[in-house]
Amino acid sequence: MADMTEDDDAIVAGRPSGTVTFLFTDVEGSTRLWAADKDAMSASLLVHDAILRGAIEGNGGYVFTTAGDSFAAAFGRASDAVRAATESQHALRDAVWPGPVLRVRMGLHLGEAEERGGDYFGPVVNTAARVEAAGHGGQVLITEPVRIAAGVAEVTDLGVRSLRDVAEPLRLFQIGTDTFAALRVIDPLMSNLPVRPTRLIGREVELGRIRGLLAESRLVTVTAVGGSGKTRLAIAVGEAELPHRRGGVWFVDLTAVSNGAEVPSAIANGLGLSLASGDQKQQILTFLADKEALVILDNCEHVIEESAAFVEAFLATNGPTKILATSREAFDIDGERVVVLGSLATDTGDSPGVRLFVDRASAVHPEFMLTESNTATVSAICGRLDGMPLAIELAAARVTVMNPDELLAGLDDRFQLLSGGRRRSRQRTLEATLDWSYDLLDAEEQRVFRAVGVFVDGFDLDAVAAVTALDRRRATGHVETLQAKSLVVRADKRKATRFRLLETVKAYAEDRLVDTGEAEAIRDGHLAHFHRLAMADGRKVLGTLDVGLRLRHDCPNATAAFEWAADRDNWIIAGELLTASWSAYYLDVRFSELNTALARTAAHVAKLDPDLHGCITVQLVNLALLSTDYALAGTVADELTRSPLNTFRSIGWAILAWQIAFIAPENVDGLLANAANELSQQTAPDTRWSDSPSAAEIWAVVAQTNVALLGGDFERSRDLSHEMVNSARFADSSTFVVTAAMSEVLLGQPKAALVTVTQLDRLDLPFADGTEVRAFAHLALGDTETAIAFIRRHAKRASLGFLPAESNDTMMLLAALAHQQGDDPAARRFLLDAFGGRSPGTIAYGRHLARQLGIFDVYMGQVEDPDDSYGATRSLHAVRAELAGRGWD
């Protein structure tokens, strides 16, 4: 096959340009090998370097980066790159090693890249590096474009995989047919690690030490002053640990927690855990008890007492989960291992501090290079900054307007103001550097910088324009300027363009906001902006989907705005902000956070605004149902039936009708009659809610679809669900989509079900995404392979234990699979290992399957008890056992 990248004119002076094939390599386990015997490792590395460089340059490649034991090379032809990789792997296998045997992983990818100053830029470069990182020593991974371009015939198809920091999944191939361990790729179900804005430089030793301590201890705390890179290092540890943590790696950012009492809720949010009423801390500890997970508690210092209390309780339990914490001070509790993060070395041109400066400087000024004439000056700059990573980054961002000599002179002038000479603290060095960066901004840039300090966990450009009262164009220009100067970093989420401040920079901006007396006005503007976004469609009992999609990345900002309103006793605004943002919290799975805030608000608005209080109560019922706390949901719904307003009495009766449909459908009509009667007696207007159809009508239809589903009238349940999807736009429309699709499966219309369920795709939900519907539909179509892929995905998510209903749905899926494969004894066993906390559609499917298997009476007696808490635990353990037994974990 012709080589797609073959273009002799693109290879200029040995540096390919245009469409380039990149080869990245890395020695497996190098940190351990260096620690074991530095001299022996150095000797082996000389052999390694000669083999790699010889194979690369012998096949027309250009080595543009060598960092430690890694190579990065560019080729004008994909076939040359593949040949270099395979030749070097053969040579490495046959080599005589004076020290440890080195095994090298390699990754290749091709695409458009820009070459400047001997280096390469563009997404393709990052992707090639991520492909390499997914492999193992001795393995060569290539992407599909490389396979096609180079005409590689003997490959192993490893499937479509998601790689960290790579926007779209890629199909990966392994050259040859050797067997290796599973790829080191990101399973989105097993981690919520944020994307590192920049690569980690100079902390390789600390990274290895922390991982070693985690192997021995259940708690490791990284301590250092602000700006030392604690968070960046913790994320890097999480990335390295992820392939070895069957329970996942979970990042909990405590920066936004202003009240220590909210620490358990913040941890639950980071874990994606839905909490029921009761002791939150104990529920989290129970959840973690059997997980082989790593939990990263980041920025604990401002809630150190409450964080320490949680960690101490965690250590008092047994289990394989580990905690990695970052803080400016240690917890000082038994069992804690502390790693104190020091300065980066700055004494040579190859020292970590200097490498960091060069990396950040070349990012903003591609022509910047470390030369013989400027190395000493750059080293002096980094030394003057005491090797502080953030201070070095801030200084490096100035190379666009100052050369190294001017930077050093400016630092000398600035630091003469500090007393104590070289004895000054590292924190004072960072403060002085921030002062310097801030003073070099013009007046309006300073004002924007101060204002963005109000945002929590990121912001978009519209929000900046709103709080600064600038037009969007000017606000955008200022944010771009701050980003270029390393005061703001890009932090996109789900294709949404967003920015954030590093924790230390945010604290500095907030201090300047207080100093100038602007804090109250900016916080008022912050509250007004998010209240306005939430209330764009007026008061809604269930919240509109459009608002949820608009605010799903700003729940921390909505919570911060709520706290500001609550602190000023502005409970009506606070309550409106929360209730109107309901769907955003739903889409971002922040149930515990919302539940806590709603419960606080309810007591304050009961007399002030009965209408708002009624809405809060409805949402508390919804949250109880989402966490399968059916007893609490029934109690709160019963309270609604005694509301002073007809609207909410009607909703209460309708919710009770929905619940009773599962166990006594003959009583539904009476409860719905009560709901309808309340609506008919409503005095206009006794409510300001503008839902259309009304929340009471929605709940009534939900109850009616339950009755139809469980009674076998699948056409009616399908028609009612489609009608509601088409007429109502609110966050939980996913319920009707799933119900409609499950009805179609039960009607023998699997193709229609697959079309219906695609309506969920745009929501990008981490749960309730229709995975189970797709599995049932593909089973019905006889496409067992695809069905198993969806069942496996559903089972892996269910095994995490976030939502009890998911493990029960998984048992239903396994039962359906076993029945199709002719193993009815296994199907019966799986069916009886599920319990009542499931979606109405899968409950209906379970009854249908139980009849086919001849165990309907046993099934109804043993399984469908919504209050069977033991059943939830039983099904969860059954799912985990099946994952392990089938090799799906």
Side-chain angles (χ1 to χ4, degrees), residues 745-776:
V745 169
L746 290 163
L747 282 167
Q749 301 169 354
K751 291 183 179 178
L754 289 174
V755 172
T756 296
V757 81
T758 58
Q759 296 177 72
L760 298 177
D761 293 346
R762 72 189 183 96
L763 302 182
D764 193 20
L765 284 169
F767 67 99
D769 59 355
T771 301
E772 75 282 8
V773 176
R774 298 172 214 260
F776 284 127

Side-chain angles (χ1 to χ4, degrees), residues 699-710:
W699 275 108
V701 174
V702 171
Q704 290 165 359
T705 57
N706 275 12
V707 172
L709 263 175
L710 302 179

Side-chain angles (χ1 to χ4, degrees), residues 457-468:
D457 194 34
F459 52 88
D460 59 26
L461 296 170
D462 289 331
V464 177
V467 300
T468 58

Side-chain angles (χ1 to χ4, degrees), residues 429-447:
T429 293
L430 179 59
E431 289 172 0
T433 308
L434 283 165
D435 283 339
W436 186 46
S437 296
Y438 177 74
D439 290 343
L440 289 171
L441 300 174
D442 67 33
E444 191 163 85
E445 289 168 349
Q446 288 180 345
R447 186 170 75 85

Side-chain angles (χ1 to χ4, degrees), residues 214-404:
L214 284 170
E216 303 169 357
S217 308
R218 296 186 68 208
L219 169 66
V220 176
T221 304
V222 179
T223 66
V225 298
S228 299
K230 300 185 296 294
T231 299
R232 193 170 294 161
L233 176 59
I235 294 171
V237 171
E239 291 173 341
E241 286 288 310
L242 186 53
H244 311 287
R245 297 287 167 182
R246 296 172 63 178
V249 175
W250 307 101
F251 185 83
V252 179
D253 185 0
L254 295 176
T255 307
V257 177
S258 57
N259 184 338
E262 297 170 0
V263 167
S265 179
I267 294 173
N269 288 333
L271 294 171
L273 178 61
S274 175
L275 299 179
S277 58
D279 188 335
Q280 291 188 335
K281 184 193 300 182
Q282 188 55 52
Q283 289 180 65
I284 297 170
L285 295 177
T286 301
F287 171 76
L288 293 173
D290 59 352
K291 301 283 189 303
E292 192 177 343
L294 173 65
V295 179
I296 299 173
L297 301 181
D298 191 46
N299 290 310
C300 299
E301 56 273 353
H302 63 296
V303 283
I304 192 72
E305 294 298 330
E306 294 80 7
S307 299
F310 174 84
V311 171
E312 204 160 20
F314 166 81
L315 292 177
T317 66
N318 293 316
T321 291
K322 307 295 180 77
I323 288 181
L324 172 62
T326 75
S327 178
R328 297 188 186 186
E329 60 179 300
F331 294 125
D332 193 23
I333 56 179
D334 292 340
E336 179 182 27
R337 301 295 297 272
V338 179
V339 174
V340 180
L341 206 57
S343 301
L344 295 177
T346 64
D347 51 334
T348 68
D350 194 41
S351 60
V354 173
R355 284 194 285 118
L356 177 63
F357 183 98
V358 174
D359 181 82
R360 302 303 188 254
S362 60
V364 296
H365 186 40
E367 287 72 34
F368 180 84
M369 297 177 63
L370 193 67
T371 64
E372 187 175 337
S373 62
N374 68 15
T375 296
T377 304
V378 171
S379 177
I381 291 170
C382 297
R384 201 80 174 97
L385 295 169
D386 293 327
M388 290 286 290
L390 179 55
I392 290 172
E393 292 187 27
L394 292 170
R398 285 287 164 187
V399 299
T400 56
V401 291
M402 298 182 188
N403 63 39

Side-chain angles (χ1 to χ4, degrees), residues 478-497:
H478 290 315
V479 171
E480 289 174 346
T481 297
L482 295 174
Q483 183 187 5
K485 295 173 181 176
S486 293
L487 291 168
V488 164
V489 296
R490 186 84 173 258
D492 293 353
K493 290 186 178 180
R494 289 191 180 98
K495 300 180 182 179
T497 301

Side-chain angles (χ1 to χ4, degrees), residues 495-509:
K495 300 180 182 179
T497 301
R498 294 183 64 79
F499 303 86
R500 61 185 286 266
L501 300 180
L502 298 178
E503 177 259 342
T504 304
V505 179
K506 174 176 164 55
Y508 181 88

